[in-house]
Every structure is written in C-alpha cells, then in structure tokens.
Amino acid sequence: MKKTLNQMLIIFGASGDLTARKLIPAIYNLYKGQHLPENFVVLGVSRSNMGSEEFRSKVVLESEFLQKKIAKEEKDFVQKFADKLYYEDLGTDYDASYEKLAKRINQLDEEHGTDGNLIFYLSTPPSLYETIAKNLHDAGLTKEEKGWRRLIVEKPFGYDLKSAKALNDGLHYYFNEEQVYRIDHYLGKETVQNLLVTRFSNSIFEPLWNRRYIHHVEITNAETVGVEKRGGYYDKSGALRDMFQSHLMQIVSLIVMEPPISSDAEEIRDEKVKALKSLRIMKDEETIIKNTLRGQYVGSTIGGKKVKGYREEEGVNPESTTETFAALKFYVDNWRWKDVPFYVRTGKAMPTKVTEVVIHFKTPHHEVFKSQDVYKKDNKMIIRIQPDEGILLKFGVKVPGLGFHVEQANMDFYYSDLDSAQVMDAYERLLLDAMQGDTTLYARADEVEAAWRFVDPILECWENNPSVNTYGYAAGTWGPKNSDELIEDSFGWRNPGDLLTDESGFCILC
C-alpha cells in the first residue's frame, strides 16, 4: 500500500448530513485501522455558527452514525480522534473572503505538521463548486508552493452535457485536472473494483468476454426505499440522471473496456473513456422510444403497511412525470461487443435492495442434451455489488441417477467469507485513495462528458416528446410490467429474491 503523507482534510458543508453519516465514520475507521499518518487533521467548514468542541460532539461524541461503529472500550481512543477535528465558521455566505479561513489553515498546518498538504472536500450543492474553488484560489490556497492541493467533488456533476462541460471548465480555471477528484462511491465498492481483477487476471474469463460467447449483459440497481426526504431534489433529477449517468455508467465502462496496458490509474481511465465513447448513441426518437422505458411508483400496501406513491412524497409535484424507474437497451460499437445487447435498469421502491451485473452466456452451438430444460437456463456469471458482495456462477450438471438429467448448479464466493480480510467501506477506500494521490477510482473530466453525451439525447426525448409515457408500477414490485418487453430472445429480467432468500429478504443462491 502507498504511504499516506502528512495532510489536512478541509470539509466544506461540514454541518451537513453527509459529513456525519459517511465522511467522519469513514475517517474514524481509517484512523482506527492505522491508515492515516500521525500528523493528520480535519477542519470542518460551513455556515453554521459553532465552535470546534460543538462540531466534535455533533459528528463524533454524539453521532448516531459513528456510535454504531464504536465499542464501549474505545472511549479514550474516540476522544483522541475527536481532538484531531476542528471547525471554522465561514459566516453567512460561501461566496465571501476566505482570508480568515486561510489563516486558520496555516495555523493548524504549523501546529500539527501537515506539511502544507491540503485536500478540499466539497460536501455542498454542485452550484457552489466553482464559487468555492474561486475563493480558495483568491485566498492563495490553491498554490502548490508548499505541499500539494487536491479537490474532491460529489455528484451530481452537471445536469446535462452542457452544464458538465461548464463545470469542468470552471474548475479547471482554478485547479488542474490532476488535482480534481470526482467521487462516485459505487467505485469504492470491492466488487466493482473486482470486475477489473476478475476479467484481467484470470485466463478462464477474459477469453470468453466477447460477442462470440456472451448473449447479453444485464445490470440491475434496485432500492427498497422511495425518494424519502429528497423529493424536491429528485423531482428535478429523476432516475436517469441520479443513478444511470453516474453509478451505472461507471459499471458499464468496467464491463465494456479493453485491457489496459498496466494497472496505472491513467491507463485504466483511458480505457474507460474509450469504452464510454464506443456506446451507440440513440439519436432519433423512434430508436429511443423503442429501446427505453421510464416508470414511476404508485402507492401500495406492503406487509400490511401503506406505502406512499411518488406523487404523494414531500416536495414532489402532484402531476410529476419524473421517472423513479428507468430501463434501457443499447449496443456497443466495437469488435468485442458488436450486436451484444446491454440491458440496464434502476428503480426505487422495489422489492429488494440490490445492485448486480449478470453476464448471460450463449448456449452451446450443438445441443447434445436437446430434451433437457437446461437450454432454457443459460450459463450466468452474477457479480453482486451490494449487498452480500460476491460472485456466483450458474452452470449445468448431471443429476445423480439414470440417464442424463441436467440441472443448474451454483458456485459462489462472498467477500464476507474472507474472515482475515477487512473490507473497507466505499468512502473509506475512496478517501484513502485521494489522500495517497491515487485517481484510479475517480472520474476524469472526459469520462463524465462521455457519459453525458450518451444520456443527453434520451433525456431530451423523454422531457420534450409528449408520446413518451411514464408507466406506473406498484411500490414493492419490480417496475412496470412492460419492462420485460425490452429483453428479447431471453426470459425477462433476473429478479433477485424471487426464489431462495434469507430472513432479510436478500437472495442467497437464486
């Protein structure tokens, strides 16, 4: 593992939910796991009127999110960690002089020996990114005369291609591309990263990873919750912007990409960009309407409990047509994937919380056991990203007894089975990578723009064409019934949890 240099993490929007819920618990686990240098300090910055002690109590000592991770005997250790956290009140506006902030940063740098190495984490609305970058620049905080400077920004990165380009240009005016880290927590998940290792370190998989052996690829992202308290934001975004353009396009790029020359960050990111650029863009309305579908959950009763429909959620327009479910069929225009359809869907208020990739292999060209139903059950490689991260292979075996009765068998691997290995939380991994200057799991500017270039025509068609329907589906189901019609020459979507499940409802070996 790379060495983590002395440094300071400055979190803008530190009084917000993300800091208490994700960032501080992740930093605590890194500290507990001895991944951080001795000379490390966190400075929270926001517009809330409080001091360092109150900030420590809010995000550490009284935090429900962190306390779940802390054992009773860790109290002294927790206090030692809390002492590394400080707070600076920025006043009423992010667009103000950062001279006072600069003095505080320089003071903490000298007191704690962080060697002038600074990471700015923007846990704020994207509309403030350029404003904060400008003010950091004006205060001299972007200069790398002593130590390095890095900027981490959260999604959504742009609302469409035009706004993404404008945001990239705005940040590049104050920071070099090498300094900008666009975080997507999905890339911090072990199984997403393992897509690279599974493909490129095993001779049993990569030779089959092409149009000759793969019939189609299916990706599902499902959440059991609705929009909850994010109705105001979500109604202006929708499933395609919120999940597909970012999380799911990242997964698609890892499946589609060609082998990189090495494991170097830029080599991997170069191939991801090429993969996204090879996606066939749907330009005409007829193609888009035929190969895409959007839906919206409506009220239902689940387990005797009444569940609200999307239009009943707080902050949502009662006549909204914003999609909470999106399904797409598309192709990749290169030699490896020619004529192999990709089916991707994402939805809220569904039966199970799950994200997985299913590689459907073609049936043998010569069907020796023609009478067996095994040919209706293609070989599958299922890569579970969440929950229960792991890999499952489904293949035909002979059932003991007379004759050749064939059934499918499962061979599986779960990360939870590795007792000796600590699986880092996504934010832990990504924060540590940024601290060590590893950009492999962060999106590059051209990568973000390539994803938007594919998504933009679909969004434009959906929003401007009155003939595009938003189909209703009952909360707690797998989306609109006609979404199965997108998948041709197969047996519909694989719905995890339909068969064998554990008490929590998650699919075990189905």
Side-chain angles (χ1 to χ4, degrees), residues 31 104 108 157 171 289 320 369 454 457:
Y31 181 70
R104 184 71 183 280
L108 290 173
F157 201 85
L171 292 182
I289 293 173
S320 174
F369 305 103
F454 176 79

Side-chain angles (χ1 to χ4, degrees), residues 304-341:
K305 182 180 179 181
K306 188 175 180 180
V307 178
K308 288 182 180 179
Y310 175 71
R311 294 182 181 182
E312 302 171 85
E313 300 281 12
E314 182 181 345
V316 174
N317 182 342
E319 298 180 356
S320 174
T321 59
T322 298
E323 78 281 358
T324 61
F325 173 93
L328 277 68
K329 172 186 177 182
F330 59 88
Y331 292 90
V332 180
D333 286 332
N334 62 18
W335 181 93
R336 180 185 291 269
W337 296 106
K338 181 176 174 57
D339 297 329
V340 176

